[in-house]
Structures are given as structure tokens and as C-alpha cells.
Amino acid sequence: MSHFSIVAAALIACLPLARAHDDWGDRDRDRDRHAHPALRTPGTPPGIALPPLATPASAWDGKAFRGGVVSVSHPLAAQAGADVLARGGNAIDAAAAVQFMLNVVEPQFSGIGGGGFMMIHLAADGRGRDRGGRTFALDGREKAPAAATPAMFQLSGTTPQALFGIASTSGISVGVPGTLALIDTALKRWGTIRLSEAIEPAIGVAQNGFRINRFLAANIAGDGGRTSLQPETAAVFRPNGVPLAEGDLLVQPDLARTLRAIARKGPKVFYEGEIAQAIVAAQQRSRAPVAAEGAGRMTLRDLKDYGVLVREPISVDYRGWRVASMSPPSSGALTVGQMLLMLERFPIGDAARGYGFGEAKTLHVMAEAMRLAFADRARWMGDADFVDVPERGLLNRHYVASRAQLIGESTRMATPAAGNPLPYDERHRGDKRSVALPDNSEEVRPSHTTHYSIVDRWGNVVSFTTTIESTWGTGIMVPGWGFLLNNELTDFNLAPAKDTTPGDPGANDVAPGKRPRSSMAPTIVFKGREPVLAYGSPGGSTIINSVLNVTLNLIDHGMSLQQAIDAPRLSVTSAAGTISCEGTEAFMRPKFSVATQDALRALGHLGLGTANGADACTAAIGSVQGVAIDLRSGRQYGGADLRREGTVIGLKPVRAD
Ligand code: GLU
């Protein structure tokens, strides 16, 4: 082992220490006093960093670093990123190497057949073409092909219940992939290494193989059939019909060949050359009983025309911190932002007033804010290049206050309708369109996708959520090329919503060239202009709630980054929805007690507690990888998620004081 060492947990001093520099008022300075008793160190004066909770992974420590930190859900991918940093590369270079390695070692979650959103913050003294101190939101989201139509998912011969399963494993759901173009764009604009250098380590592991971890093994065993649907996919993950198990060697020569071709010829071979032709052919597959109707509509032209967009992130100020995340076509920043602004009126973190971590009042207002924000998300959010998303109205403080007023302290509200942010959005002033019907949609899907975070020695930060949508995407592997195609287009409304109720803009209806609404929320938190935290999560629409949980844990509950990641999460993903909550794993502490669940049930919440005292918090929600920077000392920290094989690798460890 060279000069870097692996840790998988960190005490972050950054929040409490950074706070010493500002004047938030007494409540915030006293926050440690209000932290949940399990998180408080007896005798620790307010304002002093809390030590990490004991976790089951005793090898974890709270190491600090100066040479950069990589936090990724798989150790081999984390290593690939750290190697780049160790050779003098920056966070963008490392992010590129991590993505190619993830394509090899976590093929079920992300890769060149998919898309993603990357937040990049350039350090103030960053070098290169762009002025430092700026934050960019890279949009490498998949696009609908030019031949897409709003009703294309109305496949005959299938029931509404079966539609998602059929559509999401047929070519019709394959969006024009953006991940490779995103990485190439990021490297060309902000990186210092060539694309071929970023790919190199992944080629070796694809060619020579690696040992399957328990998470990949579980995803193969519990694939819902996806790895058996297509012969190429089955041949890789179920050779001779036997699912690969933990510890088995996974060798992917076709994928190695693809990566070699891209390294040699550049992204053009993927978007215009022989790989493009193979993608177009592969996405013509569809599942019985829909046959030709389920074939994909992507053409070579669609691939050639694919373009990465550099967007402005959206941020909200929450108790003195600026929380910046992904703008449309993701609903991430807008929905997390609405929730934070609604919750700011409650004294979250103040245990003396019943708002400590995991207490009924805290969980109640979180759930209600989620329900309200998801109602707005369902109606108003989509690809802003195609529909007018009232971004300013949705985050207008008066509008959000009018929504937050619907939260009662003593009872769960009736299912809320979407609000009407248009009068609060200057581009829509005077628009009196009424908005009425409640959102009953619920999009809970199993955990897929992945998020990683990187900070380099100069302070450049990358927060990247990357996906092929469902675990295993469509299950279609491009024959001869060894990578999976996404099913991202099922993130669109499967049935057109426009004008189904008065004024419904159909914000997320399919249209040619449009990007489906995402929930991905790669996040960077700033104090003033300085980044102090980066994190994000997979998990479909629960992503938004994982990011919210972690944000509250850090800012309101005074947890270290690792504590904030470990703690059990709570999620509701629609206005009518029921609560899902975690608590089964030993590291998910402090638990949401059954008494608390019963208290929530008494308020009218659904999905929690039972009459016989059983613990209903058994969900698995997200996988958060984060980095943190202590502004005072410049020290860097990482936190990673035991819900997968989360790994933090730091360079230039700082000696413990
Ligand atoms: N298709 C999802 C989205 O963009 C990917 C994230 C996930 O499902 O984990 O919201």
C-alpha cells in the first residue's frame, strides 16, 4: 500500500467548525445540545465536533486527508479514482476513471449504456479554461429518439400492471445514452488526462476479471428475471444457466473490447461508428406479447445528435448553508429544495422541543413536506427545454410558506393536491390557472443507480449520480460489445398527462428529443462560496428523500458525515403515499423506535408501526457516498454507505491531533 490508506468512515469536523465562522444565532450554535442523546457526547460543550458513533466496521476510522478523497460504492472503482489523484490528476479525471471501472464492477447500476448528472465545483484557484469558484451541472441524461411520441408506451396486449415490466425490458424504453459523452465533455473541458488514460484501468479488470461482491451476487440472484431475458446477458452473468455467486470471477472480454475501441478511437466509435450500429440493432428487441410495438425507435442520427448540456445548478439557502443540486430535467434540486424550505420553519434538531433525530414530530413534518413536494413534482417538473417549469415559483419563499402551512402538527393532512406556483413565478404572473387534482402516483422501485463523490487536493469537487435506470437496465446487452442498455425512458409518464386535468402541462410526457424527468440529486453544500460537502444517492424517487435525510442529519442533527449516512432513513414518494423507513441493519442507528412508529400511526400516517408492536421499519433506501471539507483546516473527509460496499480512499492522511 502506498501513501494512501483506505478508510470507510470519517468524523467530519467541518460542520461544527465551519459554523464557528458565522453567526447563525443561538439556536444553531447550540445545536449539539439538541442532538439526539445517542449522538451526543456527555460533557461535550456545544459547538465542538461530535465523535463518530461506534459502527460495526471497527476498521473504520475518522481519518482526515489533504491530498483528495474518493468515496465510491465499490472498492475497485474507488481505487481507480484514487490512483488517478495519486498520479496528479484532478477530481474530474478521477471521476472519469471511476465511471469506467464501475461499468465493469457494478454493471447492473451504471455504464456507457446509460446517463447521469454530474455536479462539478471548480476550486477558486482552479486552473484551466473556466474561471474557478464556479459550479456546473452537467446533463448527460438519456434522450428520447426523434421518433418518440407521447403515447408510445400505450402498448397493446398488456395490462397497466404489466406495462412497466414489459416496456422497461423492451427497446422502446432505451434512451439515447449520455454517460460516455458526459465523461468526454467533462474531461475535455476540465480534466487533465486523456479519455484513454481514464479507461485503461477498467480494460484490465474487464479482461482479467474480478471477484464478485455480495451485492452484485444478490443483484444477479434477485434480478426479477432481467439477466435471463437476453442470451448475451445470461451468458455473462449466468454462464450455463448458473447465476454467478459471491467470490466468483467475472470476466467480460466483450466489454474490454468496447473500452479498448473507445480508448483508441474516441467516443465517435460509440456515437457514430460500429458500436452505434450495434446499439441501434440491439434496441430493436422487444418482449412478448407486444412484439414490434415494443421495439426501440433510436436511429444512428439520434446517437450522432446526442449532446451533453452544461446547466446552472439550482440552490436553496437552508439555515445558512447553500444546498445546490441538479436542475431540470431532474426534479432533484427543486423537490429537495422545496422540502428544505418547508422544514426550515420547524426547529428540527431541537430535542428539547421534540424535534430530535428519529422523534415523532421530526418524522411527521419530514413526511408531510415530502408529500407536498412530491405533489408538485408530479405536476410541474420535467425537461425545462420542452415545458415551462415554474422553477422560481416552486422555490418562492411565499409560495413554499403557503404550502408548509398545510402541515398540521397534530394530524396527517388529507392527500394534498399540487399547488399553483405560477402566480409566484415572474414569468407567469397573472396566470390564474387552477390546479386541483391530487397526485396519487407512487413510484417506488428498488434501489439501482449509483452515486459517488470526489474532492481533490486543490479543492475541486465532483458529485455524480449515474444510472442505467432499473438494476440491469433493460437487461439488453449490446451483442458483441458487453454493456447493458438503459430503460431510462420509462421515467417519462407512461400515459400522457397533458390536460388530463385542467391545466396539467404534461411536464413529463414523452416528446422527441426530450429528456425524461429524473430524481437524481447530486448535491454540493456550500458555506458562502466554499463547498463543504458533496453527496447523493441512488434509489429512484427515494433519492430525493435520501438526500433530504442526510442533509437534515448533517445540518440539524449535528451528525458527522458517516453518522449521517449510517442513520436510518424515512421516505414518502407521493402525496398519497405511505411511509417507508429503515432500521434492520445494525449500523442504522439511532433506530426509529416502535413507540415512535406508533405515534406516527396515531397521527394518521400509513406504513408505520403495527398494533402488535412489530417494527415496520424494514425498507432499504439508497446508498450515499459523500466527501466533506473542513473550511478552517482544509482537511478532507469521506463517508460511504454500508448499504453497498461503500469505500473511502484518501490521500495524504493528516496525523491525528
Ligand atoms: N431513473 C432514475 C432517475 O433518474 C435513476 C435513479 C434511480 O432510479 O436510482 O430518477
Side-chain angles (χ1 to χ4, degrees):
M1 201 68 194
S2 59
H3 60 290
F4 44 111
S5 58
I6 299 182
V7 298
L11 155 65
I12 64 162
C14 85
L15 287 173
L17 292 176
R19 276 180 178 187
H21 290 299
D22 58 35
D23 57 356
W24 287 11
D26 293 338
R27 197 188 81 68
D28 297 305
R29 267 197 292 273
D30 283 351
R31 184 211 45 191
D32 289 349
R33 246 183 327 119
H34 302 142
H36 188 282
L39 298 174
R40 209 187 308 140
T41 314
T44 301
I48 301 298
L50 298 165
L53 282 179
T55 72
S58 55
W60 290 21
D61 59 22
K63 272 195 183 142
F65 302 91
R66 287 194 182 283
V69 176
V70 177
S71 176
V72 189
S73 55
H74 194 289
L76 289 175
Q79 188 69 58
D83 287 346
V84 169
L85 293 184
R87 287 198 301 269
N90 67 18
I92 293 93
D93 300 326
V98 170
Q99 174 62 83
F100 291 115
M101 190 63 86
L102 282 175
N103 197 153
V104 177
V105 299
E106 265 193 356
Q108 74 275 36
F109 294 142
S110 75
I112 55 177
F117 297 108
M118 181 183 281
M119 295 273 289
I120 297 175
H121 178 79
L122 299 182
D125 54 359
R127 300 158 296 167
R129 153 172 169 190
D130 288 297
R131 200 160 35 83
R134 291 180 62 195
T135 312
F136 300 91
L138 251 70
D139 174 346
R141 183 70 164 170
E142 298 91 330
K143 286 175 71 166
T149 56
M152 72 180 191
F153 284 114
Q154 299 301 290
L155 303 171
S156 50
T158 178
T159 60
Q161 293 72 26
L163 180 63
F164 179 79
I166 298 287
S168 67
T169 48
S170 296
I172 191 136
S173 67
V174 179
V176 185
T179 298
L180 178 58
L182 182 153
I183 295 294
D184 185 51
T185 302
L187 274 185
K188 285 207 173 94
R189 187 151 170 181
W190 300 291
T192 68
I193 64 172
R194 289 192 308 277
L195 186 66
S196 55
E197 288 176 68
I199 295 176
E200 195 58 39
I203 296 174
V205 177
Q207 187 66 47
N208 301 323
F210 70 99
R211 296 281 162 200
I212 287 185
N213 70 8
R214 72 183 166 96
F215 298 95
L216 176 51
N219 286 137
I220 296 172
D223 66 352
R226 267 175 209 244
T227 60
S228 326
L229 295 174
Q230 305 289 345
E232 299 80 9
T233 316
V236 174
F237 300 107
R238 297 175 171 267
N240 305 314
V242 182
L244 291 177
E246 182 179 359
D248 286 351
L249 192 68
L250 174 56
V251 184
Q252 300 170 86
D254 285 353
L255 181 56
R257 168 178 172 238
T258 303
L259 295 172
R260 252 187 238 111
I262 296 169
R264 228 182 18 249
K265 302 179 186 170
K268 210 165 167 182
V269 68
F270 184 94
Y271 285 101
E272 297 180 46
E274 43 188 337
I275 303 179
Q277 287 170 10
I279 292 172
V280 168
Q283 54 95 53
Q284 271 147 19
R285 293 191 188 177
S286 88
R287 292 271 316 284
V290 298
E293 260 182 281
R297 302 177 182 198
M298 196 193 308
T299 62
L300 285 173
R301 179 93 226 169
D302 290 315
L303 278 157
K304 186 164 189 253
D305 286 350
Y306 185 84
V308 172
L309 299 169
V310 181
R311 300 187 184 274
E312 281 292 318
I314 288 179
S315 56
V316 298
D317 288 316
Y318 181 69
R319 303 193 210 272
W321 304 90
R322 185 160 62 82
V323 181
S325 195
M326 192 63 218
S327 41
S330 185
S331 60
L334 288 171
T335 316
V336 171
Q338 276 202 327
M339 292 173 185
L340 288 173
L341 295 180
M342 281 188 250
L343 291 171
E344 203 169 22
R345 61 178 44 215
F346 299 98
I348 298 178
D350 187 344
R353 292 160 74 182
Y355 282 91
F357 178 86
E359 297 197 66
K361 281 187 177 183
T362 308
L363 299 181
H364 167 66
V365 295
M366 284 171 68
E368 297 295 79
M370 289 173 185
R371 295 173 64 214
L372 287 162
F374 270 96
D376 274 1
R377 173 185 177 275
R379 183 159 196 120
W380 298 112
M381 299 180 204
D383 184 347
D385 295 342
F386 285 74
V387 287
D388 210 351
V389 179
E391 294 170 12
R392 286 175 195 277
L394 286 163
L395 294 179
N396 176 284
R397 286 196 176 257
H398 300 290
Y399 172 66
V400 176
S402 74
R403 299 287 284 164
Q405 265 163 14
L406 301 173
I407 303 177
E409 298 210 21
S410 55
T411 181
R412 176 185 188 264
M413 74 182 95
T415 298
N420 184 3
L422 299 181
Y424 299 85
D425 194 290
E426 60 241 23
R427 287 171 308 132
H428 294 276
R429 285 251 156 77
D431 190 333
K432 296 278 187 285
R433 263 189 279 176
S434 68
V435 176
L437 284 191
D439 154 43
N440 290 315
S441 66
E442 184 124 22
E443 299 171 40
V444 182
R445 300 192 200 138
S447 177
H448 22 76
T449 311
T450 194
H451 180 90
Y452 58 91
S453 303
I454 300 173
V455 57
D456 65 25
R457 70 175 91 157
W458 299 281
N460 300 301
V461 175
V462 169
S463 183
F464 185 30
T465 313
T466 171
T467 186
I468 53 173
E469 209 317 86
S470 296
T471 306
W472 305 108
T474 49
I476 301 173
M477 180 173 277
V478 181
W481 297 98
F483 64 93
L484 291 159
L485 291 176
N486 72 83
N487 64 300
E488 215 71 50
L489 301 188
T490 51
D491 273 358
F492 279 121
N493 296 335
L494 296 185
K498 187 169 170 53
D499 295 329
T500 47
T501 60
D504 191 319
N508 191 36
D509 290 351
V510 187
K514 191 174 174 182
R515 287 153 147 93
R517 177 180 62 213
S518 170
S519 301
M520 292 191 275
T523 297
I524 302 179
V525 179
F526 294 84
K527 171 53 75 179
R529 300 176 63 82
E530 297 299 324
V532 292
L533 289 155
Y535 49 89
S537 179
S541 47
T542 68
I543 290 171
I544 290 164
N545 297 331
S546 289
V547 168
L548 180 81
N549 279 265
V550 170
T551 305
L552 300 182
N553 291 347
L554 289 160
I555 294 179
D556 293 328
H557 296 301
M559 296 188 193
S560 74
L561 180 56
Q562 191 58 51
Q563 289 168 337
I565 291 171
D566 289 346
R569 300 177 190 138
L570 169 129
S571 171
V572 188
T573 55
S574 76
T578 58
I579 289 180
S580 307
C581 52
E582 294 187 313
T584 44
E585 302 282 353
F587 63 85
M588 293 172 180
R589 294 288 178 271
K591 270 186 73 62
F592 303 141
S593 69
V594 173
T596 300
Q597 295 172 45
D598 283 339
L600 287 163
R601 202 157 52 99
L603 291 173
H605 287 285
L606 312 168
L608 275 171
T610 65
N612 64 8
D615 189 340
C617 288
T618 56
I621 304 172
S623 168
V624 175
Q625 269 59 236
V627 295
I629 304 147
D630 173 358
L631 289 183
R632 197 188 59 171
S633 66
R635 291 176 185 185
Q636 302 165 330
Y637 301 83
D641 210 321
L642 278 173
R643 292 161 182 85
R644 291 187 190 162
E645 203 176 351
T647 303
V648 174
I649 304 182
L651 287 86
K652 295 206 169 88
V654 179
R655 233 176 1 96
D657 295 325

